[in-house]
C-alpha cells in the first residue's frame, strides 16, 4: 500500500508532526511504502485560477513540487494529512497545495458538474490548535479546519477513516 503523509505544519517536530508520525507508524508494515512531505518545504507557485487543468487534466504552470504531489496522490491508497489550525482553518500553504492539485482530486463533467477521482482511497485527518477544549469547538477553531479538509477529501472521493484533534496545545506538549 502506498501511503502519502502531508505535514501541513511548518514545525517539523511540532504536535501535528508528532501525531502524523504516530498515525503513520500504524501502517509501517514492510509491504507499505510511506512517503512523507513537509508542505512548508515544498516549492510551488500559487494557482492562477486559469481553469486549464480542468480540460487538460494537468496543471499548465511550470513543473514544480505541486506536480510531484499530484502524482503521489494518484498513486496513494491512503492519505494522512495534518495541519495546525490557523484562524479556524488549515495552514495557508496546505490550502494552496490543494488549490494547485485540484485536477487529481476531482474531474468535471459537462456543465461543470464535479466528480471524484479518488474513489476507493482512504484518508486520515489530523488537526491541532492552541484553543482549549471545549472552546476549540464552540469557537469553530478545530471544526473549521476539519470541515475544510473533509470537504476537499470527500468531494475527491476519499473515505475519511479517522479524524484526530489535539486542543489546548498552548498549555501542553
Amino acid at each position: 500500500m502506498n501511503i502519502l503523509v502531508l505535514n501541513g505544519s511548518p514545525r517539523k517536530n511540532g504536535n501535528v508532526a508528532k501525531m502524523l508520525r504516530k498515525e503513520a507508524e500504524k501502517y509501517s508494515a514492510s509491504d507499505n511504502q510511506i512517503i512523507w512531505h513537509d508542505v512548508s518545504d515544498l516549492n510551488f507557485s500559487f494557482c492562477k485560477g486559469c481553469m486549464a487543468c480542468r480540460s487538460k487534466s494537468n496543471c499548465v504552470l511550470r513543473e514544480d513540487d505541486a506536480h510531484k504531489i499530484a502524482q503521489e496522490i494518484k498513486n496513494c491508497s491512503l492519505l494522512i494529512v495534518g495541519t495546525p489550525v490557523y484562524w479556524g482553518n488549515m495552514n495557508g500553504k496546505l490550502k494552496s497545495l490543494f488549490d494547485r492539485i485540484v485536477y487529481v482530486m476531482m474531474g468535471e463533467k459537462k456543465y461543470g458538474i464535479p466528480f471524484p477521482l479518488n474513489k476507493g482511497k482512504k484518508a486520515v485527518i489530523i488537526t491541532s490548535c492552541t484553543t482549549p477544549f471545549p472552546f476549540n469547538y464552540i469557537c469553530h477553531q478545530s471544526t473549521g479546519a476539519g470541515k475544510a479538509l473533509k470537504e476537499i477529501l470527500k468531494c475527491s472521493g476519499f473515505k475519511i477513516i479517522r479524524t484526530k484533534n489535539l486542543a489546548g496545545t498552548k498549555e501542553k506538549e
Side-chain angles (χ1 to χ4, degrees), residues 5-150:
V5 181
L6 296 176
N7 175 19
S9 175
R11 297 180 182 175
K12 293 178 185 157
N13 292 307
N15 292 314
V16 169
K18 289 175 187 172
M19 291 169 65
L20 287 168
R21 279 189 207 98
K22 192 168 187 170
E23 187 67 29
E25 282 175 12
K26 295 176 184 177
Y27 304 95
S28 62
S30 60
D31 56 338
N32 290 337
Q33 179 186 10
I34 299 173
I35 300 168
W36 178 288
H37 287 286
D38 292 306
V39 176
S40 62
D41 289 344
L42 298 177
N43 186 15
F44 59 90
S45 299
F46 291 102
C47 177
K48 304 295 184 209
C50 69
M51 305 298 281
C53 66
R54 299 295 176 110
S55 60
K56 297 182 184 295
S57 298
N58 193 20
C59 180
V60 297
L61 294 178
R62 182 179 47 85
E63 190 80 19
D64 60 17
D65 287 340
H67 291 88
K68 177 181 168 183
I69 299 298
Q71 189 59 47
E72 289 173 354
I73 289 212
K74 281 183 182 179
N75 297 331
C76 80
S77 307
L78 173 65
L79 174 62
I80 304 172
V81 60
T83 182
V85 176
Y86 289 3
W87 284 101
N89 211 321
M90 72 181 88
N91 171 291
K93 191 153 185 187
L94 181 62
K95 171 64 168 78
S96 293
L97 177 63
F98 281 122
D99 288 346
R100 273 292 303 283
I101 62 173
V102 69
Y103 63 94
V104 297
M105 303 300 278
M106 60 186 207
E108 196 172 85
K109 294 181 182 179
K110 193 175 180 180
Y111 304 116
I113 299 169
F115 65 92
L117 295 175
N118 293 283
K119 283 190 173 183
K121 296 182 181 186
K122 297 177 181 172
V124 174
I125 296 171
I126 292 173
T127 59
S128 175
C129 69
T130 57
T131 308
F133 180 82
F135 302 103
N136 63 314
Y137 288 101
I138 294 169
C139 299
H140 303 287
Q141 292 296 306
S142 300
T143 55
K147 184 178 177 185
L149 284 168
K150 282 179 188 174

